[in-house]
């Protein structure tokens, strides 16, 4: 069977990574969580004094980019986890404080250029499922299957809130909702690679869908695309 590239884009907390991971496991494809890469760069900025008065110091971060090394390594369960300069930061990057600064960091063109190049190299020649905001529009404009996931901001905030509570983070629903809305605003309005549906992407609103329905819908689309290329 031929390998294809599957791009899954959409708003934050639409469950993109859950379905992308399931799909990659089922197809035995490589899975790349590009949001984790933007989050790890943000964590680096936070840990190295590049956030001043709640603002990201763009110049300092751009100057430090050559010293930021990101890679994914599989843990004992076979799950790929992100490493920042050799240290596993998979848990640290999910905290709400990282979520608050990641969208401004993702507006920086130099950051995007570095990460997009790395993402394109990861997909090269292999079956890949990649999720993010600009995969179908910028990273892999020729991807054989493009999915654009949406859900209401309230639905997404509720999911994210429950996830953070489950991890033991003390957060309020209102703060999570505001973070989701603020990230939507920045992600869709930035000048470089704004979040938008590629013209050939299939839109899936999963507000009322359970995980299983969503997985089977996208798996069927993937199977059709794979068969179509044989
Ligand atoms: O998918 P996520 O919520 O972990 O992504 C975190 C942020 O990173 C999101 O607010 C926008 C940014 N991002 C991006 O700009 N481009 C991508 N391909 C992936 C994420």
């Amino acid at each position: 069977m031929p390998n294809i590239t599957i791009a899954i884009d959409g708003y934050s907390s639409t469950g993109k990574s859950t379905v992308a991971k399931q799909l990659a496991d089922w197809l035995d494809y490589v899975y790349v969580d590009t949001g984790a890469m933007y989050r790890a760069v943000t964590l680096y900025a936070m840990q190295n004094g590049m956030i001043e008065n709640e603002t990201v110091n763009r110049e300092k971060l751009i100057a430090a980019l050559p010293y930021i090394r990101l890679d994914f390594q599989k843990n004992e369960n076979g799950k790929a986890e992100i490493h920042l300069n050799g240290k596993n930061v998979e848990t640290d990057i999910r905290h709400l404080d990282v979520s608050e600064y990641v969208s401004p960091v993702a507006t920086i063109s130099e950051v995007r250029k570095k990460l997009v190049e790395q993402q394109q190299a990861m997909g090269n020649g292999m079956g890949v499922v990649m999720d993010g905001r600009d995969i179908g529009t910028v990273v892999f404009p020729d991807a054989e299957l493009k999915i654009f996931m949406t859900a209401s901001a309230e639905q997404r905030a509720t999911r994210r809130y429950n996830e953070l509570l489950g991890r033991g983070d003390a957060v309020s629903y209102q703060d999570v909702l505001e973070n989701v809305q603020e990230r939507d605003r920045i992600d869709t309005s930035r000048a470089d690679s704004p979040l938008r549906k590629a013209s050939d992407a299939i839109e899936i609103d999963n507000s009322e869908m359970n995980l299983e329905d969503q997985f089977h819908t996208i798996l069927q689309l993937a199977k059709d695309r794979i068969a179509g290329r044989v």
Side-chain angles (χ1 to χ4, degrees), residues 55-67:
T55 306
V56 180
N57 185 321
R58 300 168 73 98
E59 287 69 35
K60 277 192 190 165
L61 181 54
I62 291 167
L65 284 176
Y67 308 104

Side-chain angles (χ1 to χ4, degrees), residues 12 16 33-36 38-39 94 102-103 106 112 132-135 183 187 190:
S12 65
K16 299 184 297 292
D33 172 1
T34 63
Y38 289 91
R39 286 172 177 274
R94 308 286 164 196
V102 64
S103 282
R112 303 203 68 84
R133 302 292 188 289
D134 58 344
I135 312 305
R183 282 206 284 154
D187 293 348
R190 69 176 173 231

Side-chain angles (χ1 to χ4, degrees), residues 96 100 153-154 156-162 164-165 170-183:
L96 192 56
E100 272 165 19
E154 288 74 17
R156 291 183 283 132
T158 302
R159 290 176 192 160
R160 187 96 189 105
Y161 175 66
N162 290 332
L164 289 168
L165 279 192
V171 289
S172 78
Y173 171 77
Q174 195 54 33
D175 284 351
V176 175
L177 177 63
E178 280 169 20
N179 175 256
V180 163
Q181 290 169 330
E182 179 63 1
R183 282 206 284 154

Side-chain angles (χ1 to χ4, degrees), residues 180-208:
V180 163
Q181 290 169 330
E182 179 63 1
R183 282 206 284 154
D184 286 357
R185 191 186 65 73
I186 302 178
D187 293 348
T188 52
S189 64
R190 69 176 173 231
D192 189 347
S193 320
L195 168 65
R196 62 179 174 77
K197 177 180 168 292
S199 55
D200 51 350
I202 297 165
E203 184 165 336
I204 296 183
D205 182 332
N206 66 14
S207 301
E208 306 296 332

Side-chain angles (χ1 to χ4, degrees), residues 44-103:
Y44 180 94
M46 293 168 72
Q47 289 174 339
N48 289 277
M50 295 171 183
I51 314 272
E52 295 151 359
N53 303 322
E54 303 196 2
T55 306
V56 180
N57 185 321
R58 300 168 73 98
E59 287 69 35
K60 277 192 190 165
L61 181 54
I62 291 167
L65 284 176
Y67 308 104
I68 301 179
R69 187 169 45 83
L70 304 177
D71 59 296
F72 288 92
Q73 286 175 31
K74 290 201 168 168
N75 70 11
E76 60 278 9
N77 301 320
K79 178 180 175 279
E81 296 187 321
I82 191 149
H83 287 61
L84 167 63
N85 291 337
K87 182 175 181 287
N88 187 330
V89 292
E90 184 67 34
T91 305
D92 296 350
I93 60 164
R94 308 286 164 196
H95 294 303
L96 192 56
D97 51 353
V98 175
S99 301
E100 272 165 19
Y101 293 110
V102 64
S103 282

